[in-house]
Amino acid sequence: MDKLLIQGGVPLRGEVRVSGAKNAALPILCASILTARTLRVSNVPHLRDVTTTLTLLAQMGMDVALDERGGVALSAQRLDNRVAPYDLVKTMRASILVLGPLVARFGEARVSLPGGCAIGSRPVDQHIKGLQAMGASFEIEHGYIHARSERLRGVRIVMDMITVTGTENIMMAATLAEGTTVIENAAREPEVVDLAQCLIGMGAQITGHGTDVITVHGVHALHAADYAVMPDRIEAGTFLAAAAATRGEITLRSARVDSLDAVLGKLQEAGALIEVGDDWISLKQAARPAPVSVRTAPYPAFPTDMQAQVMALDCVADGTALITETVFENRFMHVQELRRLGAEIDVDGHTAVVRGVRGLSGATVMATDLRASACLVIAGLVAEGDTVIDRIYHLDRGYERIEEKLSHLGARIRRIR
Ligand code: UD1
């Protein structure tokens, strides 16, 4: 199993390009199921979750063609297997994103029920509730969700809670439904907006994306389209947090500045000097960071996917910060590992109290989930001496060539096989 070896203590300096957003790419690739015509997607990041999604689509009978510039052409013309098997779903919960498109276009789907996952139970009841309201019937058989439907009907759906992939599944399904679907309490995440824009490019009639009420007028068929995935705001935020923690100076190219308001605000609170242009962000952190308290919540509030990284920053801040996680129930697993590096953190329910220390010291730590891994990388970049991060397959799920990008910024980091 691969590990990362980091020799910390070097401030990050230089320029780096932000990759395409994982959480936008995954639903957009699944949207290709909605049409028999070809969907061409560019700016697709090279990540394990993307490979898993393409494997899933290919085993359904879709034609998947990669081009040399990182684009993917997808055609569902020969899709004949409407199953998302356990082996793939267990490695990536986002496989559930095939459910809405399969039911809408083929009237049937069998998707392995995602089990518990490291960051909480993460049920999919809202996805099912929405599709049921649109006329689909559901059975759970042998660990699989089996959905069947005639043509779905447009309805008004009030989501019990804000769910990103739940909103995406229903929005995709609604594009082919008969009549109008209104999704209330919808997720406003930029990735939902990116998916909506791709669907509109394919001929869908959607309004209100980016607000909490999304309206979709169903059409009979969607057509071919070309779409470029938005830049990854979490990757961007991770690099910025790493630069702030190491007191460095970096510029991000190809960034989506407007998707990062909450994160940039917190980094400024930590003392970072931030400048932005149309598609770039520069950050300079001269002094020891000030502590920043955050409370995670759906967009546009502070993203749960940046919670662990900002905690790494707070570990070396000049004071005490409170970090409250409201989106997921069990998302503090990185705390134990950060303590091994010398961090002083107490957890009380959903809140972590982080008392900043002057420095961390390298140790062997274990990555437990995707963003926890990113947090350990940041801590390793700060710590004196060698940090070895085990189980970095989590990191490969969501960060494109992270050790290469960080090396380019001056970090002493390498992969050990
Ligand atoms: C997406 C992101 C993930 C991010 C999360 C929250 C993708 C591929 N993944 O995950 O990186 O951390 O949004 O921003 O886009 N819930 C239910 N029932 C449901 C659905 C969700 O109870 O049917 C709960 C979840 O357990 C969680 C909360 O709602 O507590 C939010 O989850 P959700 O927004 O659905 O997360 P994902 O879409 O899985």
Side-chain angles (χ1 to χ4, degrees):
M1 224 183 286
D2 289 6
K3 299 176 185 182
L4 276 184
L5 169 64
I6 304 175
Q7 293 166 301
V10 185
L12 297 186
R13 288 191 198 290
E15 281 192 15
V16 67
R17 185 186 166 276
V18 179
S19 299
K22 169 178 92 71
N23 286 354
L26 303 183
I28 287 171
L29 295 173
C30 294
S32 62
I33 296 171
L34 289 163
T35 173
R37 314 304 288 276
T38 302
L39 176 65
R40 285 176 207 282
V41 190
S42 57
N43 204 30
V44 180
H46 283 192
L47 304 170
R48 214 161 53 103
D49 276 7
V50 166
T51 312
T52 304
T53 304
L54 295 177
T55 307
L56 174 61
L57 296 174
Q59 67 85 42
M60 287 177 180
M62 285 192 58
D63 293 317
V64 176
L66 304 177
D67 70 34
E68 61 290 348
R69 292 173 51 212
V72 187
L74 300 141
S75 163
Q77 200 170 15
R78 290 190 292 204
L79 192 157
D80 56 2
N81 175 28
R82 293 139 202 181
V83 181
Y86 176 70
D87 282 350
L88 290 172
V89 179
K90 77 171 185 211
T91 65
M92 189 188 68
R93 286 182 43 88
S95 312
I96 192 73
L97 285 164
V98 300
L99 179 66
L102 283 175
V103 177
R105 175 132 182 268
F106 298 101
E108 194 191 11
R110 284 169 67 87
V111 177
S112 173
L113 196 56
C117 89
I119 58 174
S121 64
R122 296 179 86 171
V124 290
D125 55 302
Q126 297 301 304
H127 305 235
I128 293 177
K129 181 184 128 171
L131 294 168
Q132 249 166 354
M134 298 171 82
S137 64
F138 282 84
E139 279 169 311
I140 307 291
E141 289 171 350
H142 308 297
Y144 279 72
I145 303 169
H146 189 187
R148 266 182 286 230
S149 179
E150 302 292 311
R151 188 175 177 200
L152 295 171
R153 295 183 307 271
V155 282
R156 178 167 163 264
I157 297 164
V158 182
M159 310 293 277
D160 293 348
M161 83 260 308
I162 298 175
T163 151
V164 176
T165 49
T167 301
E168 291 168 343
N169 241 335
I170 294 165
M171 182 169 74
M172 286 193 279
T175 60
L176 295 179
E178 186 177 349
T180 300
T181 303
V182 179
I183 311 169
E184 301 214 16
N185 201 22
R188 293 184 279 167
E189 266 65 5
E191 294 78 13
V192 175
V193 176
D194 211 40
L195 171 65
Q197 279 162 352
C198 173
L199 293 168
I200 291 168
M202 295 164 74
Q205 294 189 11
I206 304 175
T207 56
H209 41 296
T211 78
D212 59 0
V213 183
I214 299 177
T215 302
V216 186
H217 300 292
V219 295
H220 272 285
L222 298 179
H223 52 65
D226 281 11
Y227 195 76
V229 174
M230 68 175 280
D232 197 310
R233 64 192 168 105
I234 305 301
E235 187 202 21
T238 302
F239 277 103
L240 293 173
T246 59
R247 298 189 214 175
E249 185 171 0
I250 66 164
T251 299
L252 302 181
R253 299 282 169 198
S254 306
R256 257 289 294 279
V257 181
D258 63 344
S259 67
L260 277 153
D261 289 343
V263 172
L264 296 184
K266 286 296 167 188
L267 292 169
Q268 276 168 327
E269 227 177 283
L273 199 69
I274 291 176
E275 286 181 67
V276 299
D278 282 351
D279 65 347
W280 58 266
I281 303 172
S282 73
L283 174 145
K284 181 179 179 179
Q285 177 88 30
R288 187 173 169 194
V292 284
S293 292
V294 302
R295 184 183 176 82
T296 67
Y299 191 84
F302 193 87
T304 175
D305 285 352
M306 277 298 298
Q307 178 255 104
Q309 298 89 315
V310 88
M311 187 182 291
L313 178 65
D314 277 329
C315 284
V316 290
D318 191 5
T320 299
L322 296 184
I323 298 188
T324 304
E325 173 61 53
T326 76
V327 179
F328 290 113
E329 53 193 70
N330 186 18
R331 210 174 194 182
F332 281 144
M333 267 125 27
H334 39 286
V335 168
Q336 303 264 31
E337 304 300 308
L338 288 171
R339 284 189 189 132
R340 292 181 50 74
L341 299 171
E344 292 188 10
I345 309 170
D346 287 321
V347 176
D348 183 10
H350 292 295
T351 300
V353 181
V354 188
R355 280 179 300 278
V357 293
R358 286 203 164 270
L360 300 173
S361 65
T364 297
V365 290
M366 203 161 69
T368 49
D369 72 50
L370 170 55
R371 305 307 168 182
S373 324
C375 141
L376 295 176
V377 169
I378 296 175
L381 291 171
V382 173
E384 281 300 316
D386 289 0
T387 296
V388 176
I389 306 179
D390 203 348
R391 302 205 178 162
I392 56 157
Y393 53 85
H394 291 292
L395 204 59
D396 294 332
R397 286 188 40 213
Y399 288 91
E400 185 173 59
R401 300 180 288 110
I402 188 164
E403 70 269 31
E404 207 180 303
K405 287 187 176 187
L406 286 170
S407 299
H408 180 72
L409 295 172
R412 289 175 298 198
I413 180 170
R414 70 189 162 85
R415 188 177 283 255
I416 358 182
R417 300 206 182 261

